[in-house]
């Protein structure tokens, strides 16, 4: 308990950072619609965010090594705040895309610092409890970030300034903490081939997970607006997705530990296809139908990354786990960079239902590939324990890796 209290400053920074970074994507989509941006340009903003996220994941460990944790955190927070406050100074979609690169760098960089700090302070005995609290804090912040969209006026300097204030406020707990700054951890080598070598299915699954999550989070507000939701209702729509994903973690984790994870991935993708189809037709059943379908969509798509990560770690040795986690994050980032732009382009051509038809098509490919891979090699006897894996930084493997202990699945 004393250790968790000492992490209170870090966890408060996580919540403030989530409120700021989690709110800017939906706000940009709604603001872009009000300002007359094309749907393709709105999708470009989401893709730019994940491009910045990838750059931040790669650069942050190196910057920490040069200037230390606190200064690196301050630098990334400043980049994010500048990007937010600049929005209403230059009203142009391509200028906003550059600003979203800055916000993506801020998210990845700040999470890298926080997770490196946590990793340096926890022990094997406290790691599980610390990660449990960290996941709850992160998920709570993400849920709250979707809710505040309902009170922020689109295309308003005040709204962006409010998010920038939250971003700056994330500086205070971490920079004022009296806990000694830890030594800089070595940055993991980025070996994308490692994920494909250990599990081609896991590499494909995290790309599909990015297709589902990134396109929904970044382009979902466009879908909501086109099916008749108000700004407040869009906030609930996005929140239902996050809540559905949170509720899915325990039951899906139990299934992933008990049964062949490839079967779990395949059935999750089948369920995702069904939930995508339901979401398309739910638009004709009023607001309640749309909200319930969003929760079901989150329930079926949110856990796929964690199941895929657990499956990949089943084939990895202990000394590969950190680099494998970084490789999986790399594939997720690639999918997340492409997904919002492609989804928005299809929406512009074929209408709002194209978002979920794209996602369903991605999961159909994963089902076929999963069945193919099941014939390629048997299920391993010794497997790692399922854990919810946040997509926050390349260093997340250092926090989750030692929780993963081999177990005999019988």
């Amino acid at each position: 308990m004393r250790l968790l209290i000492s992490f209170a400053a870090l966890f408060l920074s996580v919540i403030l950072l989530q409120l700021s970074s989690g709110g800017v994507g939906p706000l940009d989509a709604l603001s872009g619609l009000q300002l007359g941006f094309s749907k393709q340009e709105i999708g470009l903003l989401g893709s730019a965010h994940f491009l910045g996220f990838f750059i931040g994941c790669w650069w942050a460990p190196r910057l920490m090594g040069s200037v230390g944790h606190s200064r690196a955190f301050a630098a990334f927070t400043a980049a994010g705040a500048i990007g937010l406050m600049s929005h209403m100074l230059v009203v142009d979609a391509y200028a906003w895309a550059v600003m979203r690169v800055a916000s993506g760098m801020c998210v990845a960089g700040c999470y890298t610092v926080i997770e490196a700090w946590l990793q340096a302070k926890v022990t094997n005995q406290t790691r599980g409890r610390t990660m449990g609290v960290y996941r709850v804090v992160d998920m709570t912040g993400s849920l709250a970030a979707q809710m505040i969209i309902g009170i922020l006026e689109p295309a308003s300097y005040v709204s962006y300034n409010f998010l920038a204030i939250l971003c700056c406020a994330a500086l205070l707990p971490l920079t004022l903490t009296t806990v000694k700054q830890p030594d800089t951890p070595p940055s993991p080598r980025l070996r994308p081939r490692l994920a494909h070598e250990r599990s081609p299915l896991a590499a494909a699954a995290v790309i599909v997970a990015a297709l589902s999550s990134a396109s929904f989070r970044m382009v979902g507000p466009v879908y909501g607006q086109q099916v008749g939701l108000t700004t407040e209702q869009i906030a609930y729509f996005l929140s239902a997705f996050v809540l559905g994903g949170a509720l899915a973690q325990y039951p899906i984790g139990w299934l992933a530990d008990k049964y062949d994870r490839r079967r779990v991935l395949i059935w999750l993708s089948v369920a995702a296809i069904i939930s995508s189809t339901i979401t398309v037709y739910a638009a004709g059943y009023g607001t309640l139908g749309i909200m319930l379908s969003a929760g079901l969509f989150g329930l079926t798509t949110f856990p796929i990354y964690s199941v895929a990560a657990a499956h990949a770690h089943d084939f990895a040795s202990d000394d590969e786990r950190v680099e494998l986690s970084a490789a999986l994050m790399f594939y997720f980032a690639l999918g997340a960079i492409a997904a919002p732009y492609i989804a928005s382009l299809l929406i512009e051509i074929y209408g709002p239902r194209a978002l979920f038809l794209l996602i369903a098509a991605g999961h159909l490919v994963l089902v076929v590939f999963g069945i193919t891979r099941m014939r390629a090699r048997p299920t391993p006897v010794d497997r790692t324990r399922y854990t919810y894996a946040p997509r926050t930084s390349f260093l997340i493997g250092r926090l989750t890796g030692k929780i993963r202990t081999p177990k005999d699945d019988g």
Side-chain angles (χ1 to χ4, degrees):
M1 180 60 71
R2 186 175 300 175
L3 179 68
L4 293 179
I5 292 174
S6 71
F7 286 148
L10 294 178
F11 292 149
L12 181 55
S13 289
V14 168
I15 291 176
L16 292 169
L17 185 65
Q18 269 285 17
L19 288 173
S20 174
S21 63
V24 67
L27 181 61
D28 265 3
L30 295 172
S31 299
L33 289 170
Q34 185 164 309
L35 293 169
F37 293 178
S38 69
K39 296 175 184 64
Q40 194 172 344
E41 289 171 334
I42 293 171
L44 178 64
L45 300 181
S47 294
H49 172 87
F50 285 104
L51 174 62
F53 176 85
F54 174 77
I55 295 171
C57 283
W58 177 84
W59 185 32
R62 293 154 180 81
L63 185 62
M64 279 193 298
S66 301
V67 302
H69 291 64
S70 295
R71 289 180 179 178
F73 191 89
F76 283 115
T77 304
I82 291 169
L84 286 167
M85 288 188 291
S86 300
H87 272 67
M88 297 313 296
L89 299 179
V90 184
V91 181
D92 177 81
Y94 295 100
W96 280 25
V98 175
M99 299 170 196
R100 288 302 300 278
V101 171
S103 68
M105 287 175 57
C106 170
V107 173
C110 290
Y111 269 107
T112 299
V113 172
I114 289 168
E115 288 169 4
W117 204 310
L118 288 173
Q119 161 64 22
K121 297 298 182 181
V122 299
T123 64
N124 287 342
Q125 290 71 36
T126 60
R127 193 179 304 273
R129 281 175 293 162
T130 302
M131 276 302 295
V133 175
Y134 178 50
R135 294 184 191 106
V136 170
V137 168
D138 182 66
M139 193 71 74
T140 302
S142 178
L143 185 61
Q146 312 311 311
M147 296 296 292
I148 65 172
I149 295 303
I151 62 173
L152 296 179
E153 182 184 349
S156 165
Y157 177 76
V158 173
S159 297
Y160 284 103
N161 197 43
F162 175 71
L163 294 181
I165 290 171
L166 289 174
C167 185
C168 292
L171 266 170
L172 299 177
L174 189 138
T175 53
L176 295 179
T177 181
T178 57
V179 177
K180 183 181 177 182
Q181 180 172 290
D183 296 330
T184 303
S187 58
R189 287 187 300 163
L190 189 54
R191 298 166 55 197
R193 287 185 59 185
L194 180 62
H196 184 268
E197 289 169 355
R198 294 297 169 267
S199 174
L201 177 60
V206 297
I207 294 174
V208 174
L211 171 67
S212 304
S213 177
S215 58
F216 185 89
R217 284 176 178 266
M218 298 299 170
V219 189
V222 176
Y223 172 87
Q225 190 262 355
Q226 291 208 328
V227 297
L229 297 181
T230 65
T231 300
E232 184 178 359
Q233 289 170 338
I234 289 173
Y236 288 118
F237 177 65
L238 297 174
S239 299
F241 166 75
V242 176
L243 182 60
L247 294 175
Q249 292 304 322
Y250 181 80
I252 296 301
W254 181 82
L255 289 171
D257 281 343
K258 187 172 179 62
Y259 299 104
D260 186 335
R261 284 171 181 159
R262 292 170 298 186
R263 291 185 184 275
V264 175
L265 277 174
I266 289 169
W267 282 110
L268 274 175
S269 280
V270 170
I273 294 170
I274 294 171
S275 67
S276 296
T277 305
I278 291 173
T279 305
V280 168
Y281 289 102
Y285 290 90
T287 303
L288 180 60
I290 295 173
M291 299 300 172
L292 292 176
S293 67
L296 178 64
F297 179 75
L299 191 82
T300 56
T301 59
F302 214 95
I304 286 179
Y305 182 94
S306 296
V307 176
H311 178 63
H313 280 277
D314 288 343
F315 299 96
S317 59
D318 287 341
D319 59 350
E320 292 176 331
R321 299 203 186 283
V322 174
E323 291 181 357
L324 179 56
S325 294
L328 291 171
M329 278 285 297
F330 170 81
Y331 282 107
F332 181 85
L334 286 184
I337 290 170
Y341 182 78
I342 295 173
S344 62
L345 182 61
L346 292 175
I347 288 176
E348 192 151 38
I349 297 173
Y350 299 107
R353 65 174 56 189
L355 169 62
F356 292 100
L357 294 178
L358 170 66
I359 294 170
H363 283 281
L364 179 60
V365 172
L366 186 60
V367 168
V368 174
F369 188 54
I371 293 172
T372 303
R373 290 303 304 169
M374 286 189 69
R375 298 176 179 176
R377 62 179 171 184
T379 302
V381 175
D382 292 327
R383 302 197 298 168
T384 57
R385 182 160 54 89
Y386 173 93
T387 57
Y388 163 56
R391 283 86 74 184
T392 45
S393 81
F394 285 173
L395 293 186
I396 190 65
R398 297 194 183 280
L399 280 171
T400 59
K402 293 185 180 180
I403 299 175
R404 300 179 184 276
T405 54
K407 58 176 283 188
D408 184 3
D409 194 55

